[in-house]
Amino acid sequence: DVKVTQSSRYLVKRTGEKVFLECVQDMDHENMFWYRQDPGLGLRLIYFSYDVKMKEKGDIPEGYSVSREKKERFSLILESASTNQTSMYLCASSPNRGETQYFGPGTRLLVL
Amino acid sequence: DAKTTQPTSMDCAEGRAANLPCNHSTISGNEYVYWYRQIHSQGPQYIIHGLKNNETNEMASLIITEDRKSSTLILPHATLRDTAVYYCIVRVAYGGSNYKLTFGKGTLLTVNP
């Protein structure tokens, strides 16, 4: 079974803090993705990566950056957290471009 | 982007088949239909996908109409643990060989005892 894990299920941070969300997959997948999910807006793609040290912007990259130093790990960084970044963050991976994406359990982030 | 239309909610009795419809009338010839589900407070779980032919796996069956404008996900014997939001998604290509999944609002399936 594909296993995608995220570092925290719940996280509370203060406005202006730097926040790191970590995602690890154990299936040697090439592609990794970060989404956020908000009520009424569905899942929106923030960033994705199709190789180590490669990244591409998704639909809503503003306020976020990413890092992929190793194939199995994809980090989402909030440089200066704001209250409008309170959301559920979901990481996913897929073996090749266009193939099925497998999701982690999600991190529910609250920014105060 | 091909859009999908699903009912907001459906009910199903435990042990009966759950048939979840999806309309995707603007789908292009090479776009796949994917189904995921999301149980409350968890990440989406992949169920099944298809292009033209009907597909079946251990979780469900996917029936795609001949004109590909609609599809139905079938859970043959629904259990209480199948209560979830079910998303029908058309996977679209963009920017060369990149693909994205656009999740809509989905159908809340409630399986009743």
Side-chain angles (χ1 to χ4, degrees), chain A residues 56-104:
Chain A
E56 289 204 22
K57 294 180 180 179
D59 297 322
I60 51 162
E62 296 79 18
Y64 303 94
S65 61
V66 290
S67 172
R68 191 150 180 221
E69 296 296 319
K70 292 184 178 181
K71 191 175 186 179
E72 67 271 17
R73 189 180 296 270
F74 192 36
S75 303
L76 181 69
I77 303 155
L78 287 65
E79 295 289 343
S80 178
S82 63
T83 54
N84 63 12
Q85 291 178 310
T86 290
S87 187
M88 169 76 129
Y89 289 89
L90 291 157
C91 175
S93 72
S94 70
N96 293 299
R97 296 195 203 197
E99 292 195 32
T100 301
Q101 294 182 26
Y102 297 91
F103 285 81

Side-chain angles (χ1 to χ4, degrees), chain B residues 6-77:
Chain B
Q6 299 177 255
T8 303
S9 63
M10 294 182 64
D11 286 320
C12 178
E14 188 178 18
R16 304 297 293 269
N19 297 285
L20 292 93
C22 179
N23 288 322
H24 30 78
S25 58
T26 59
I27 194 170
S28 298
N30 60 351
E31 291 176 335
Y32 281 77
V33 178
Y34 275 74
W35 282 83
Y36 282 77
R37 73 180 182 184
Q38 189 172 24
I39 296 168
H40 183 61
S41 294
Q42 297 183 22
Q45 178 188 22
Y46 165 76
I47 301 173
I48 199 167
H49 73 281
L51 182 63
K52 294 180 184 177
N53 300 319
N54 298 336
E55 302 288 343
T56 295
N57 63 19
E58 64 279 3
M59 288 183 70
S61 295
L62 174 61
I63 308 298
I64 303 174
T65 58
E66 195 169 339
D67 63 9
R68 303 211 326 120
K69 293 185 176 182
S70 65
S71 60
T72 301
L73 179 75
I74 301 171
L75 308 179
H77 306 287

